[in-house]
């Protein structure tokens, strides 16, 4: 389990980097409102992390369900994680005056707990 958590955290770190870069571009440079830019950036990182988790983090588990089933489960579970991330980001930025990038890091860390737990129990077990 420890090795799987480490892999998940490495993949998540890459996903967080993509999310931060997306926020920098969409909000920081293009001026798209944070509430919209963060959804796009987080969703894009979800797509990349699904593929990496599929191939590497849980790639050693026997396949019991189809690729479309696993991807649908992942996106449903991670959509809740995205809402956790998004709400924490907006709250910390707008109500606690935390820089939007740091607020995104805190939100992503909170969402990671949800995402790992449910994906480990559901997505790659079905």
């Amino acid at each position: 389990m420890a090795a799987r958590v480490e892999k998940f955290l490495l993949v998540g770190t890459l996903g967080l980097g993509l999310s931060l870069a997306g926020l920098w571009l969409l909000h920081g440079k293009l001026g798209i409102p944070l509430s919209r830019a963060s959804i796009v950036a987080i969703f894009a990182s979800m797509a990349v992390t699904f593929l990496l988790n599929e191939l590497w983090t849980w790639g050693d588990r026997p396949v019991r369900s189809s690729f479309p089933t696993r991807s649908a489960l992942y996106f449903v579970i991670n959509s809740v994680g995205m809402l956790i991330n998004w709400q924490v980001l907006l709250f910390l930025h707008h109500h606690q005056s935390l820089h939007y990038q740091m607020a995104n890091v805190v939100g992503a860390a909170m969402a990671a707990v949800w995402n790992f737990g449910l994906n480990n129990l559901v997505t790659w077990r079905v």
Side-chain angles (χ1 to χ4, degrees), residues 37-61:
S38 59
I39 292 291
V40 173
I42 295 166
F43 187 81
S45 85
M46 279 173 45
V48 171
T49 59
F50 169 73
L51 292 173
L52 292 172
N53 281 319
E54 170 77 7
L55 296 171
W56 188 49
T57 308
W58 283 281
D60 62 325
R61 283 204 177 157

Side-chain angles (χ1 to χ4, degrees), residues 21-117:
L23 275 177
W24 171 80
L25 176 65
L26 297 170
H27 180 67
K29 291 297 179 190
L30 299 178
I32 295 171
L34 185 59
S35 59
R36 291 187 193 116
S38 59
I39 292 291
V40 173
I42 295 166
F43 187 81
S45 85
M46 279 173 45
V48 171
T49 59
F50 169 73
L51 292 173
L52 292 172
N53 281 319
E54 170 77 7
L55 296 171
W56 188 49
T57 308
W58 283 281
D60 62 325
R61 283 204 177 157
V63 177
R64 297 182 192 154
S65 61
S66 68
F67 181 84
T69 297
R70 289 189 308 281
S71 62
L73 287 168
Y74 185 85
F75 280 95
V76 168
I77 290 167
N78 283 47
S79 289
V80 174
M82 180 173 64
L83 289 174
I84 293 167
N85 187 344
W86 186 66
Q87 288 294 315
V88 169
L89 183 162
L90 294 179
F91 174 79
L92 291 176
H93 179 68
H94 293 300
H95 300 289
Q96 303 298 314
S97 301
L98 193 61
H99 188 275
Y100 70 92
Q101 293 285 34
M102 182 51 79
N104 188 47
V105 171
V106 174
M110 293 178 77
V113 174
W114 166 270
N115 290 343
F116 178 82

